[in-house]
Amino acid sequence: MPPGGGGPMKDCEYSQISTHSSSPMESPHKKKIAARRKWEVFPGRNKFFCNGRIMMARQTGVFYLTLILILVTSGLFFAFDCPYLAVKITPAIPVVGGILFFFVMGTLLRTSFSDPGVLPRATPDEAADLERQIDIANGTSSGGYRPPPRTKEVIINGQTVKLKYCFTCKIFRPPRASHCSLCDNCVERFDHHCPWVGNCVGKRNYRFFYMFILSLSFLTVFIFAFVITHVILRSQQTGFLNALKDSPASVLEAVVCFFSVWSIVGLSGFHTYLISSNQTTNEDIKGSWSNKRGKENYNPYSYGNIFTNCCAALCGPISPSLIDRRGYIQPDTPQPAAPSNGITMYGATQSQSDMCDQDQCIQSTKFVLQAAATPLLQSEPSLTSDELHLPGKPGLGTPCTSLTLGQPTPPSSMPNLTTETTLSNLLPLKDEHGGHQFLTPDEAPSPPRLLAGSPLTHSRTMHVLGLASQDSLHEDSVRGLVKLSSV
């Protein structure tokens, strides 16, 4: 192909390649982006503080109310009651009260700011692999979407336990786990979502929650008892009404403690029962297990001993967090391009280039075939098809024979051409506005009358030989173009 004819096509192909491939002089590594931590893209409805060290639920309004009630009540007790009680009774009262207060605050913050045991969600690859495993297990091979089954069954201590599939997290939840609708997370050994602590209560913070409500019960009873003692001692000296006027804070503390002690003590007793039987609030409300070992739905998680159950819940090791919320997100490593001879072909670029080449080939073949169908020797009216008929060649008036499609081959050589002539030499393309313009039948030039090296004569024999070579060139060119269009 001549240099001028293939220029536009090469420019178009080069521009497509350059948009997807990098220059050899460029650095193979992209610019470094600031690494992000996993808590910044955490899918659950949680809030994080201190660079992911503190994890809470989004609904934290009731937690702040709990904090205010404890701080205000304890602060009033230490400010107005403890000085009088330390003098009249014993200085150990503020010491014991201080120990209980700090223990309550520590367990409360530990429960509220920690990971309750959130299970990580499945990645897209893991979810797809799980669905494939389910399809193989069920013997289905349909390509359409089919929701996986909701349960699996496992045997734990002789008891059949169902594992439910979570369509949000794309995992089969382990035993005793459940999905919290408020935090939108699957929590291991899920007990309940407690708005008073602003977090879920699960495997990793249940012991701190129990110690919080238990110590808060002692603190509430302690404050309430010594506030009443303070009022009684003052009333013995100045009367009951004067005692209330002298210490109005004691009245407020007594009212708060009176209305809260019942619920706090009752909650502590309920969770003491759950720990002794090794159950969760979720399991007890649903009635999943029976405490009697002989029944059919006995609790497979109970050790059969109250002391052992309490030790397992309160003294066992704390499992590490599974979500690694302070870990860094690993960026996608770019795949290095395979080296080639200066040209890098990508799937999208190659397919677009092939489509472009195919469309242009079809268009060019269409125009050239139309041009070739026109009479080649309109300027020689004296010659007829009978006079130009050669042995082994069909006449100009006869239809062309059918051509067998196959791999395109170049036109056969012609003895009366001194130089190799291609189709692009005979039918040059026009280059207008950087595009590919093709010749119409009206613009197609007539074949050359005289070939290089032929004698300059106008005899009838030379005309016949020239027409025979033109006919051969015409047939071979059409055959090549038809074969090329079929590829």
Side-chain angles (χ1 to χ4, degrees):
M1 183 176 289
M9 192 62 195
K10 290 182 178 179
D11 294 341
C12 177
E13 186 177 3
Y14 176 78
S15 63
Q16 292 179 358
I17 294 173
S18 63
T19 58
H20 294 277
S21 61
S22 58
S23 174
M25 299 302 295
E26 293 181 0
S27 175
H29 304 286
K30 296 182 179 179
K31 294 182 179 179
K32 291 185 177 180
I33 304 175
R36 303 180 65 187
R37 294 187 184 269
K38 295 181 180 180
W39 66 265
E40 299 182 63
V41 294
F42 189 71
R45 291 195 288 265
N46 294 86
K47 293 193 298 186
F48 297 87
F49 305 95
C50 299
N51 199 17
R53 291 178 176 87
I54 296 176
M55 177 181 181
M56 298 183 68
R58 290 186 183 177
Q59 297 84 3
T60 54
V62 183
F63 163 74
Y64 295 122
L65 176 61
T66 304
L67 208 60
I68 291 172
L69 288 175
I70 295 174
L71 291 175
V72 170
T73 305
S74 301
L76 293 175
F77 174 74
F78 290 119
F80 296 97
D81 298 299
C82 283
Y84 182 85
L85 295 172
V87 174
K88 293 295 181 177
I89 301 178
T90 175
I93 293 176
V95 175
V96 175
I99 294 174
L100 286 174
F101 170 75
F102 284 110
F103 191 83
V104 168
M105 292 302 300
T107 53
L108 171 62
L109 298 180
R110 183 67 172 82
T111 304
S112 302
F113 294 165
S114 61
D115 170 24
V118 175
L119 296 171
R121 302 190 182 190
T123 62
D125 293 338
E126 292 172 347
D129 182 67
L130 179 60
E131 292 183 3
R132 283 195 298 268
Q133 292 178 8
I134 295 172
D135 291 339
I136 294 174
N138 295 340
T140 58
S141 59
S142 59
Y145 174 75
R146 181 188 56 79
R150 294 186 61 89
T151 59
K152 280 186 177 181
E153 292 185 352
V154 295
I155 305 299
I156 299 178
N157 293 330
Q159 184 71 272
T160 302
V161 179
K162 291 185 177 181
L163 307 182
K164 294 184 179 180
Y165 181 83
C166 179
F167 288 95
T168 301
C169 302
K170 305 296 183 183
I171 60 172
F172 278 100
R173 294 192 288 262
R176 314 188 83 176
S178 183
H179 191 89
C180 177
S181 59
L182 296 177
C183 296
D184 197 26
N185 296 315
C186 279
V187 181
E188 195 173 7
R189 199 185 182 277
F190 178 76
D191 192 87
H192 70 289
H193 181 92
C194 182
W196 296 98
V197 301
N199 204 352
C200 287
V201 178
K203 182 178 181 178
R204 298 190 69 251
N205 63 350
Y206 180 77
R207 68 181 61 184
F208 302 106
F209 172 78
Y210 177 74
M211 289 188 289
F212 162 66
I213 58 176
L214 188 64
S215 60
L216 183 60
S217 300
F218 287 122
L219 180 63
T220 305
V221 172
F222 181 85
I223 292 177
F224 181 72
F226 281 101
V227 164
I228 298 300
T229 303
H230 180 206
V231 172
I232 292 173
L233 291 176
R234 277 189 178 273
S235 62
Q236 291 176 353
Q237 297 176 355
T238 60
F240 182 72
L241 295 179
N242 291 330
L244 296 180
K245 290 179 182 179
D246 294 340
S247 181
S250 300
V251 179
L252 179 61
E253 297 167 36
V255 171
V256 173
C257 292
F258 176 79
F259 286 101
S260 60
V261 69
W262 309 106
S263 59
I264 297 174
V265 172
L267 186 63
S268 300
F270 173 69
H271 279 278
T272 303
Y273 155 74
L274 292 179
I275 289 178
S276 63
S277 59
N278 203 340
Q279 292 189 84
T280 65
T281 304
N282 188 44
E283 293 170 347
D284 183 76
I285 292 175
K286 293 180 178 179
S288 303
W289 315 114
S290 173
N291 292 330
K292 295 183 179 181
R293 200 71 173 174
K295 285 197 174 183
E296 188 174 334
N297 61 333
Y298 63 90
N299 185 6
Y301 308 108
S302 177
Y303 294 94
N305 189 333
I306 295 178
F307 180 77
T308 307
N309 289 335
C310 292
C311 290
L314 301 177
C315 303
I318 300 177
S319 59
S321 177
L322 300 178
I323 56 176
D324 188 23
R325 56 188 184 274
R326 298 194 69 245
Y328 289 99
I329 301 175
Q330 298 295 332
D332 295 332
T333 305
Q335 296 294 333
S340 59
N341 298 330
I343 298 179
T344 306
M345 293 298 294
Y346 293 90
T349 305
Q350 189 172 8
S351 61
Q352 293 175 0
S353 178
D354 293 342
M355 292 176 63
C356 179
D357 295 343
Q358 184 179 2
D359 293 340
Q360 292 175 351
C361 179
I362 294 174
Q363 298 250 353
S364 61
T365 305
K366 178 180 178 181
F367 284 122
V368 175
L369 288 177
Q370 290 179 358
T374 59
L376 297 177
L377 300 174
Q378 294 181 359
S379 61
E380 297 292 338
S382 60
L383 298 179
T384 62
S385 60
D386 297 334
E387 295 173 343
L388 297 177
H389 182 72
L390 295 177
K393 296 289 182 177
L396 295 179
T398 60
C400 296
T401 59
S402 59
L403 300 179
T404 304
L405 300 181
Q407 295 296 329
T409 56
S412 58
S413 59
M414 286 153 287
N416 52 345
L417 292 180
T418 58
T419 59
E420 294 183 3
T421 306
T422 61
L423 182 61
S424 59
N425 297 111
L426 297 177
L427 301 177
L429 301 178
K430 294 182 180 181
D431 184 11
E432 296 179 4
H433 306 288
H436 300 280
Q437 300 293 334
F438 302 98
L439 295 179
T440 61
D442 297 333
E443 297 175 352
S446 59
R449 304 284 184 103
L450 301 176
L451 303 175
S454 62
L456 301 177
T457 61
H458 299 279
S459 64
R460 189 179 185 85
T461 305
M462 288 297 98
H463 280 294
V464 171
L465 293 177
L467 291 174
S469 61
Q470 292 166 8
D471 190 14
S472 175
L473 173 63
H474 168 255
E475 181 181 351
D476 293 338
S477 301
V478 172
R479 179 185 291 107
L481 288 172
V482 172
K483 292 180 178 179
L484 180 61
S485 63
S486 63
V487 177

